[in-house]
Amino acid sequence: MARQVVVTGAASGIGAAVSALLRGRGDEVIGVDLRDAEVVADLSTRQGRRDAAGAALRRAGGVVDAVVACAGTAEPTEAAVAVNYFGVVEFLGALRPGLVRAEEPRAAVISSISSIQTSDADVAAACAERDEERALSLAGKAVAEGRGYQLYAASKLALARWVRRTSVEPGWAGAGIPLNAVAPGVVVTPMTAALLSTDDGRALVDESVPMPLGGYAPPEAIAHALLWLVAPENTHMTGQVVFVDGGADATLRGEDTF
Ligand code: NAD
């Protein structure tokens, strides 16, 4: 049966690939993005998230079978925290009532290999406390001190931890909603186009994100993993951060995670 799936970041990259695959198999996609989407909204603000969730729920007639939160930004500014963390967790929270009404509800978000790299610990902690004002103020401080590049990693680390913590709560596992994350390595999308267009950029990327299996991934490689996480077949996987990264995590952390 066709399912109604809300996909954020649907206008580009991984979100666009997820949307195309879902539509290809007959599901209805309610895309949310800054442009070119069923719901045009800015997930960096509280009001934007609230309006987006309201509009998506209305379009879905109150029943949302799955949410795939792909919207994100690699800007080394406060926006990385506002969109990548609060734009995901607040939006998912607002859509939860729609998920609860579905027969086989599922949710998936996108963390990153960056979650295991150097990041701003204070910003990640403020995210964990759901204190957006403090997180943004600390992010502003990081930018002023020339550490804006640590904000993307902090947002993705905080998001991975949020999935671990939240997935097993009564409102998610207890309500029968698997909640997982995919952590990609380097994916060829508009987000990485500039970096991958120069020899220096590629050398930098290859050093920090070694991908012995297959090299840089096409967006579809991530989309297929997301599709399984939100499929009815996923009845018992929750709270996982699945690295779809060509072996980068295994290379960088080896056996240390066990
Ligand atoms: P992309 O830039 O192609 O797509 C991101 C989409 O998010 C865009 O359509 C953009 O408009 C939307 N978006 C950004 N800010 C928004 C906002 N404030 N409100 C609503 N929508 C907004 O990038 P992508 O590579 O497809 O990234 C998708 C996700 O994957 C992101 O969360 C990104 O952090 C993550 N990721 C990407 C890579 C990579 O190498 N490309 C690696 C790891 C994780």
Side-chain angles (χ1 to χ4, degrees), residues 12-14 33 41-43 70 72 111 152 156 185 187 189-192:
S12 177
I14 298 168
D33 208 306
D42 181 356
L43 295 171
C70 303
S111 179
Y152 182 81
K156 296 297 188 181
V187 189
T189 70
M191 184 178 278
T192 50

Side-chain angles (χ1 to χ4, degrees), residues 29-112:
V29 173
I30 301 170
V32 180
D33 208 306
L34 291 168
R35 60 189 161 79
D36 301 331
E38 284 69 27
V39 175
V40 172
D42 181 356
L43 295 171
S44 71
T45 70
R46 275 204 188 100
Q47 191 62 45
R49 292 165 206 145
R50 211 172 293 146
D51 292 349
L57 277 169
R58 274 194 301 282
R59 263 194 104 98
V63 183
V64 174
D65 294 290
V67 183
V68 187
C70 303
T73 177
E75 249 184 65
T77 67
E78 291 93 325
V81 177
V83 179
N84 301 354
Y85 184 79
F86 292 97
V88 175
V89 307
E90 299 284 328
F91 183 71
L92 274 183
L95 280 188
R96 216 185 58 81
L99 286 165
V100 168
R101 288 188 207 105
E103 269 183 34
E104 294 168 310
R106 308 281 184 264
V109 306
I110 306 189
S111 179
S112 168

Side-chain angles (χ1 to χ4, degrees), residues 199-215:
D199 289 343
D200 283 354
R202 285 193 299 274
L204 192 75
V205 162
D206 293 345
E207 203 190 323
S208 54
V209 187
M211 298 177 70
L213 177 69

Side-chain angles (χ1 to χ4, degrees), residues 77-176:
T77 67
E78 291 93 325
V81 177
V83 179
N84 301 354
Y85 184 79
F86 292 97
V88 175
V89 307
E90 299 284 328
F91 183 71
L92 274 183
L95 280 188
R96 216 185 58 81
L99 286 165
V100 168
R101 288 188 207 105
E103 269 183 34
E104 294 168 310
R106 308 281 184 264
V109 306
I110 306 189
S111 179
S112 168
I113 186 71
S114 300
S115 62
I116 69 166
Q117 292 169 339
T118 309
S119 74
D120 187 315
D122 294 338
V123 168
C127 287
E129 284 158 22
R130 285 288 266 274
D131 189 341
E132 186 167 9
E133 252 176 31
R134 182 168 160 70
L136 293 183
S137 140
L138 287 166
K141 183 167 166 269
V143 173
E145 291 171 0
R147 294 181 293 106
Y149 64 91
Q150 294 184 351
L151 297 173
Y152 182 81
S155 71
K156 296 297 188 181
L157 171 64
L159 189 58
R161 288 178 175 158
W162 179 81
V163 165
R164 300 288 290 170
R165 190 169 64 244
T166 308
S167 59
V168 288
E169 287 178 355
W172 292 88

